[in-house]
Short mmCIF file of all heavy atoms in Angstrom, two decimals:
data_model
loop_
_atom_site.label_atom_id
_atom_site.label_comp_id
_atom_site.label_asym_id
_atom_site.label_seq_id
_atom_site.Cartn_x
_atom_site.Cartn_y
_atom_site.Cartn_z
N VAL A 71 11.58 117.75 126.58
CA VAL A 71 11.05 118.05 125.26
C VAL A 71 11.49 116.89 124.27
O VAL A 71 12.66 116.55 124.14
CB VAL A 71 11.52 119.36 124.64
CG1 VAL A 71 10.94 119.56 123.33
CG2 VAL A 71 11.07 120.42 125.66
N LYS A 72 10.58 116.24 123.60
CA LYS A 72 10.86 115.14 122.67
C LYS A 72 11.47 115.79 121.38
O LYS A 72 11.13 116.84 121.02
CB LYS A 72 9.68 114.39 122.39
CG LYS A 72 9.03 113.66 123.52
CD LYS A 72 7.81 112.82 123.14
CE LYS A 72 7.21 112.10 124.35
NZ LYS A 72 6.06 111.31 124.02
N ARG A 73 12.41 114.98 120.82
CA ARG A 73 13.04 115.46 119.61
C ARG A 73 12.01 115.71 118.46
O ARG A 73 12.18 116.53 117.68
CB ARG A 73 14.12 114.42 119.16
CG ARG A 73 15.36 114.35 120.09
CD ARG A 73 16.34 113.35 119.53
NE ARG A 73 17.46 113.25 120.47
CZ ARG A 73 18.52 114.04 120.44
NH1 ARG A 73 18.63 114.94 119.49
NH2 ARG A 73 19.56 113.87 121.25
N LYS A 74 10.99 114.77 118.41
CA LYS A 74 10.01 114.90 117.43
C LYS A 74 9.29 116.22 117.48
O LYS A 74 9.09 117.03 116.50
CB LYS A 74 9.01 113.81 117.47
CG LYS A 74 7.94 113.83 116.45
CD LYS A 74 7.04 112.64 116.51
CE LYS A 74 5.93 112.65 115.50
NZ LYS A 74 4.96 111.55 115.67
N ASP A 75 8.89 116.68 118.75
CA ASP A 75 8.24 117.90 118.98
C ASP A 75 9.16 119.11 118.60
O ASP A 75 8.74 120.08 118.04
CB ASP A 75 7.72 118.01 120.45
CG ASP A 75 6.76 116.98 120.77
OD1 ASP A 75 6.06 116.50 119.84
OD2 ASP A 75 6.69 116.55 121.92
N LEU A 76 10.41 118.97 119.10
CA LEU A 76 11.35 120.00 118.68
C LEU A 76 11.60 120.18 117.17
O LEU A 76 11.69 121.24 116.69
CB LEU A 76 12.70 119.72 119.40
CG LEU A 76 13.76 120.84 119.30
CD1 LEU A 76 13.28 122.15 119.86
CD2 LEU A 76 15.05 120.43 120.03
N GLY A 77 11.60 119.01 116.49
CA GLY A 77 11.68 119.04 115.04
C GLY A 77 10.56 119.68 114.38
O GLY A 77 10.61 120.44 113.43
N ILE A 78 9.30 119.39 114.93
CA ILE A 78 8.12 120.01 114.39
C ILE A 78 8.17 121.50 114.59
O ILE A 78 7.86 122.26 113.68
CB ILE A 78 6.86 119.37 115.01
CG1 ILE A 78 6.72 117.95 114.66
CG2 ILE A 78 5.62 120.15 114.67
CD1 ILE A 78 5.66 117.22 115.31
N LEU A 79 8.51 121.92 115.74
CA LEU A 79 8.62 123.37 116.03
C LEU A 79 9.62 124.06 115.15
O LEU A 79 9.35 125.12 114.56
CB LEU A 79 9.02 123.59 117.54
CG LEU A 79 9.20 125.03 117.94
CD1 LEU A 79 7.97 125.80 117.76
CD2 LEU A 79 9.77 125.10 119.39
N LEU A 80 10.82 123.44 114.92
CA LEU A 80 11.80 124.03 114.08
C LEU A 80 11.37 124.14 112.63
O LEU A 80 11.51 125.12 111.97
CB LEU A 80 13.09 123.13 114.20
CG LEU A 80 14.24 123.53 113.24
CD1 LEU A 80 14.85 124.94 113.68
CD2 LEU A 80 15.35 122.52 113.26
N SER A 81 10.69 123.03 112.19
CA SER A 81 10.26 123.07 110.81
C SER A 81 9.19 124.10 110.57
O SER A 81 9.13 124.84 109.61
CB SER A 81 9.58 121.62 110.44
OG SER A 81 10.58 120.64 110.64
N VAL A 82 8.26 124.25 111.61
CA VAL A 82 7.23 125.30 111.43
C VAL A 82 7.77 126.73 111.47
O VAL A 82 7.37 127.55 110.59
CB VAL A 82 6.21 125.13 112.67
CG1 VAL A 82 5.23 126.30 112.73
CG2 VAL A 82 5.38 123.79 112.53
N VAL A 83 8.73 126.99 112.32
CA VAL A 83 9.35 128.32 112.39
C VAL A 83 10.08 128.56 111.08
O VAL A 83 9.92 129.69 110.53
CB VAL A 83 10.32 128.33 113.55
CG1 VAL A 83 11.10 129.65 113.49
CG2 VAL A 83 9.51 128.29 114.90
N LEU A 84 10.83 127.70 110.61
CA LEU A 84 11.62 127.91 109.35
C LEU A 84 10.67 128.10 108.14
O LEU A 84 10.89 128.90 107.30
CB LEU A 84 12.66 126.89 109.09
CG LEU A 84 13.79 126.77 110.12
CD1 LEU A 84 14.72 125.64 109.80
CD2 LEU A 84 14.64 128.05 110.11
N SER A 85 9.61 127.22 108.10
CA SER A 85 8.71 127.30 107.01
C SER A 85 7.93 128.61 107.01
O SER A 85 7.67 129.22 105.99
CB SER A 85 7.76 126.12 107.07
OG SER A 85 8.40 124.83 106.94
N ALA A 86 7.46 128.96 108.20
CA ALA A 86 6.72 130.24 108.35
C ALA A 86 7.58 131.43 108.00
O ALA A 86 7.12 132.35 107.27
CB ALA A 86 6.22 130.36 109.82
N THR A 87 8.77 131.36 108.40
CA THR A 87 9.73 132.52 108.02
C THR A 87 9.89 132.55 106.53
O THR A 87 9.78 133.70 105.89
CB THR A 87 11.13 132.30 108.64
OG1 THR A 87 10.94 132.20 110.04
CG2 THR A 87 12.00 133.46 108.33
N SER A 88 10.07 131.50 105.87
CA SER A 88 10.30 131.51 104.39
C SER A 88 9.01 131.96 103.71
O SER A 88 9.05 132.72 102.76
CB SER A 88 10.65 130.06 103.93
OG SER A 88 11.82 129.60 104.55
N ILE A 89 7.83 131.41 104.06
CA ILE A 89 6.62 131.72 103.37
C ILE A 89 6.27 133.15 103.58
O ILE A 89 5.84 133.89 102.65
CB ILE A 89 5.45 130.83 103.88
CG1 ILE A 89 5.79 129.37 103.50
CG2 ILE A 89 4.22 131.25 103.37
CD1 ILE A 89 4.74 128.34 104.06
N THR A 90 6.38 133.72 104.82
CA THR A 90 6.01 135.09 105.00
C THR A 90 6.93 136.05 104.31
O THR A 90 6.43 137.06 103.81
CB THR A 90 6.02 135.35 106.62
OG1 THR A 90 7.30 134.99 107.13
CG2 THR A 90 4.90 134.68 107.24
#
Side-chain angles (χ1 to χ4, degrees):
V71 179
K72 296 182 179 180
R73 292 182 181 272
K74 181 180 180 181
D75 297 334
L76 188 58
I78 293 174
L79 177 62
L80 177 66
S81 301
V82 170
V83 170
L84 294 178
S85 299
T87 303
S88 301
I89 294 173
T90 52

